[in-house]
Amino acid sequence: MSGFLKHILFTCFIILCLNTELVFSFNSNKFLTIKSQPVLEEKNTIFHNNEHIITNQTISEIKKSQILLVIIITFFVCGFLFLIYHLKKVRIINQQLEKYSKENEFLIRETNHRVNNNLQLISLLISETLRKKQSEENKKDFIRLQAKVDSIALLHRYLYTSNNVNTVNLKKYLTEVKNNFSPVEYEQKLKVNLEIDTIEIQSDYAMYIGLLITELVINSIKHAFDKTQEKIIQIKLIKEEKGVIFDYQDNGKNAIDKTIQPKLVNQLCQQLLVNSIIETQNGFHLNFKLNL
C-alpha cells in the first residue's frame, strides 16, 4: 500500500515538473512574442518610411528626366525649324542670284554682240580706206590697225557665241586670230606655226595675248625678214601647273644680235603682269610665264 502511494506521489511529481516546464516554455514564448512585437512594428515602420523616401526620390528623378527630355525635344524642334527657315532663305537668295546672273550674262552677251558689230564696221571702214590709199607706208599702217581691230572683234564674237562669258578657250580663239593672217601669209610667203595646248583663260588675258600675237606677227613681217629668206614664225603656248608658257620666235635675219624693245609689246606684257625675256641670237625670240 505504501509502495502504491509512493508510486502515485512520484507520478504526480513528474507530471507537476512537466507542467512547470510547459508553463515556463509557454510563458517564455509569450514573453518573446510580446517582446519581439514592438521590434517588428519598428522595423515595419522603418521599411515603410524608407519605401516612402525611395518612392519620393524616384518620382523626383522621373520628373527631372521628363523635364530634361522636354527641354531636349524643344531644342531639337527649334533647331529643326531654324534650319528649315535658313534653308528656305538661302534658296530664295540663290534663286535671286541666279536670276541676276542670267540677266548679267544676257547684258554681257548683248554688249559683246554690239561691240563686235561696231568693230566689224570699223574694220570695213579701214578696208575701204586701204583701197583708196596709194602710199605703201600708209597701207601698212592701216593693215596693222585693221589686224588689231579684227583681233579684238574676234574675242567679242567668241564671247558672244560662247556659253561662258568669263573664260575663253585660248586654242580656238588664237587659231581664229592666226586665220586672220592667212591672206598676209600667202602674200608674204610666210609660214606661221601655232602650237597651243587646250587652255581655259580669263577673257581679259585672252584679249591681251591676242593683241600681243598680232603685234608680234606684224613686227616680224615689217622688220625681221630678209626678202630672199624663208619666213617662219613659231608660236607656242604650253600649259603648266598654275600657269602658261608663252613662246614666240621668228627666224628673221634682220633682227639677229640687235637690241629690240618694242613699246606696245612691253605695254601688253605689263598688262599681263609678266616679265618678258627678249633674245635675238637666232632671230627675234620672246618668252614669259603667265601665272593663272
Side-chain angles (χ1 to χ4, degrees):
M1 188 70 182
S2 60
F4 178 75
L5 289 172
K6 288 180 180 179
H7 181 72
I8 291 174
L9 289 171
F10 180 74
T11 303
C12 289
F13 177 76
I14 291 172
I15 291 171
L16 181 63
C17 288
L18 289 173
N19 287 335
T20 303
E21 290 179 359
L22 286 170
V23 170
F24 180 76
S25 176
F26 175 76
N27 290 332
S28 297
N29 289 334
K30 186 175 181 181
F31 174 76
L32 289 172
T33 302
I34 293 170
K35 186 177 180 180
S36 62
Q37 186 173 0
V39 175
L40 289 173
E41 288 178 357
E42 184 179 356
K43 287 184 178 179
N44 288 333
T45 303
I46 293 171
F47 175 76
H48 285 302
N49 290 334
N50 289 336
E51 185 179 6
H52 179 69
I53 293 171
I54 292 171
T55 303
N56 288 337
Q57 289 178 349
T58 304
I59 293 172
S60 178
E61 290 178 357
I62 291 172
K63 286 183 178 180
K64 288 180 180 179
S65 299
Q66 289 176 343
I67 292 172
L68 181 61
L69 182 61
V70 170
I71 291 172
I72 293 173
I73 292 173
T74 304
F75 175 77
F76 277 106
V77 169
C78 291
F80 182 71
L81 292 175
F82 175 77
L83 181 62
I84 292 176
Y85 170 76
H86 180 70
L87 291 176
K88 185 177 180 180
K89 190 174 181 180
V90 169
R91 186 170 68 252
I92 293 173
I93 293 173
N94 287 336
Q95 289 174 351
Q96 290 177 345
L97 290 175
E98 186 177 358
K99 179 182 177 182
Y100 295 150
S101 177
K102 288 181 179 179
E103 291 177 355
N104 188 44
E105 286 184 6
F106 172 77
L107 292 174
I108 292 175
R109 288 178 189 279
E110 186 65 23
T111 301
N112 286 322
H113 180 59
R114 296 193 179 200
V115 170
N116 175 60
N117 290 341
N118 291 334
L119 290 173
Q120 285 183 338
L121 178 60
I122 293 172
S123 182
L124 289 172
L125 292 174
I126 294 173
S127 297
E128 184 66 23
T129 305
L130 279 171
R131 282 194 291 269
K132 296 178 181 179
K133 290 289 181 181
Q134 300 297 325
S135 170
E136 191 66 25
E137 187 65 28
N138 288 336
K139 284 186 178 181
K140 288 182 180 180
D141 290 337
F142 275 98
I143 289 173
R144 289 165 65 95
L145 178 60
Q146 186 178 26
K148 295 170 186 175
V149 171
D150 288 341
S151 176
I152 300 173
L154 277 173
L155 176 64
H156 285 282
R157 183 161 66 249
Y158 182 91
L159 292 174
Y160 171 66
T161 57
S162 175
N163 292 328
N164 191 339
V165 296
N166 296 317
T167 61
V168 173
N169 185 309
L170 199 57
K171 185 174 184 177
K172 292 181 179 180
Y173 169 59
L174 293 182
T175 299
E176 292 186 18
V177 172
K178 185 250 182 193
N179 291 337
N180 275 348
F181 289 102
S182 295
V184 179
E185 287 183 67
Y186 177 77
E187 181 183 345
Q188 297 289 330
K189 296 180 181 180
L190 173 68
K191 186 177 182 181
V192 179
N193 297 322
L194 201 60
E195 182 181 341
I196 303 176
D197 290 341
T198 301
I199 303 167
E200 293 291 332
I201 195 171
Q202 292 182 10
S203 57
D204 288 345
Y205 285 156
M207 180 184 69
Y208 291 131
I209 291 174
L211 287 173
L212 179 61
I213 289 176
T214 300
E215 181 66 15
L216 290 171
V217 171
I218 291 172
N219 286 344
S220 293
I221 293 172
K222 187 175 180 180
H223 302 291
F225 299 114
D226 187 271
K227 291 182 180 180
T228 58
Q229 76 168 111
E230 183 183 14
K231 303 174 184 178
I232 300 174
I233 294 175
Q234 183 76 31
I235 303 171
K236 295 181 181 180
L237 281 95
I238 309 300
K239 185 178 181 180
E240 287 193 349
E241 186 178 1
K242 298 182 180 179
V244 176
I245 300 296
F246 179 94
D247 190 275
Y248 177 95
Q249 185 170 9
D250 65 44
N251 65 338
K253 294 180 180 180
N254 294 336
I256 292 177
D257 295 331
K258 290 183 178 180
T259 301
I260 301 176
Q261 293 294 332
K263 185 175 180 181
L264 182 56
V265 170
N266 289 335
Q267 289 175 346
L268 290 170
C269 288
Q270 289 176 3
Q271 293 295 327
L272 290 168
L273 302 176
V274 297
N275 295 318
S276 59
I277 299 174
I278 296 176
E279 298 175 344
T280 57
Q281 288 87 348
N282 299 305
F284 181 85
H285 180 208
L286 181 142
N287 72 325
F288 59 79
K289 180 178 180 179
L290 174 63
N291 295 318
L292 298 178

